[in-house]
Amino acid sequence: MTASPLLLLRLLGLMLTFGLLGAVPAQAETDAQYRLASGDVIRISVFGEKELSIDEIRLTDAGTFSYPFIGEVRANGRTARELEQLLTAQLKGDYLVDPRVTVSILKYREFFISGEVKSPGGYPYQPGLTLRRAVALAGGLTERASTNRISIIRDKDPSRRPQKATLDTELEPGDTITIEQGFF
């Protein structure tokens, strides 16, 4: 039984409406470029080796985790793919003949927002997050907030120098945002 073209068009429309198309590749692209650091939560799966598969690991303050047979593993600054390659190389030979390792990012590290927002603090990062959405997560701006005096410190920036930001600026995990008071 084949589906009619009209039924296929309706199905495609529903998928587009609910965002079922396009979301996975964007997430996969983000994960491919994403560099792991302290606070990220990952899953490690080794095909056919239940005792080497770990459902949830939070990286330590140093960006490391402990792994069976290997010991302390440094994940900080690596992508999930690079970590897969490292674990595969470490397990191959001594422990397994042909290990198939998969690393997935379960939770990204938090971003932090302070200053003139109603609920300052740390919030979970989500791919595609803009400063406007981050402000909404923090309960919105206070009456005294300035939309022109916003600074951001990127976690990946070793100088830790504040940069000017707008409400349309895209955030990254670990960012620290400060929203200053406006002068009236």
Side-chain angles (χ1 to χ4, degrees), residues 41-45 53-57 83-84 87 101-107:
V41 178
I42 61 173
R43 170 185 295 136
I44 300 173
S45 301
S53 297
I54 303 173
D55 287 337
E56 191 171 304
I57 303 170
L83 186 56
E84 286 174 4
L87 293 172
V101 180
T102 304
V103 175
S104 306
I105 302 168
L106 298 179
K107 295 178 189 169

Side-chain angles (χ1 to χ4, degrees), residues 34-42 56-65 75-76 105-112 123-125 155 173-174:
Y34 182 75
R35 299 274 170 194
L36 296 166
S38 171
D40 288 327
V41 178
I42 61 173
E56 191 171 304
I57 303 170
R58 180 176 298 278
L59 301 183
T60 66
D61 289 344
T64 64
F65 63 93
N76 194 46
I105 302 168
L106 298 179
K107 295 178 189 169
Y108 298 91
R109 60 192 173 275
E110 293 182 325
F111 70 91
F112 302 90
Y123 293 90
Y125 172 79
D155 191 42

Side-chain angles (χ1 to χ4, degrees), residues 58-123:
R58 180 176 298 278
L59 301 183
T60 66
D61 289 344
T64 64
F65 63 93
S66 183
Y67 193 73
F69 302 120
I70 296 175
E72 197 75 9
V73 177
R74 182 172 165 75
N76 194 46
R78 290 190 166 98
T79 64
R81 179 76 179 124
E82 291 169 346
L83 186 56
E84 286 174 4
Q85 292 169 345
L86 174 72
L87 293 172
T88 299
Q90 293 284 320
L91 291 171
K92 193 171 193 167
D94 290 341
Y95 304 106
L96 300 172
V97 175
D98 184 24
R100 288 185 237 150
V101 180
T102 304
V103 175
S104 306
I105 302 168
L106 298 179
K107 295 178 189 169
Y108 298 91
R109 60 192 173 275
E110 293 182 325
F111 70 91
F112 302 90
I113 188 164
S114 65
E116 296 300 316
V117 289
K118 293 181 180 169
S119 299
Y123 293 90

Side-chain angles (χ1 to χ4, degrees), residues 111-163:
F111 70 91
F112 302 90
I113 188 164
S114 65
E116 296 300 316
V117 289
K118 293 181 180 169
S119 299
Y123 293 90
Y125 172 79
Q126 305 157 7
L129 186 68
T130 62
L131 187 52
R132 185 179 313 277
R133 286 184 49 215
V135 166
L137 288 172
L141 297 171
T142 66
E143 307 79 43
R144 295 198 246 177
S146 170
T147 56
N148 297 325
R149 299 182 62 213
I150 301 172
S151 64
I152 187 168
I153 298 174
R154 299 282 187 195
D155 191 42
K156 68 181 183 185
D157 180 10
S159 72
R160 310 290 294 160
R161 188 171 304 136
Q163 303 169 12

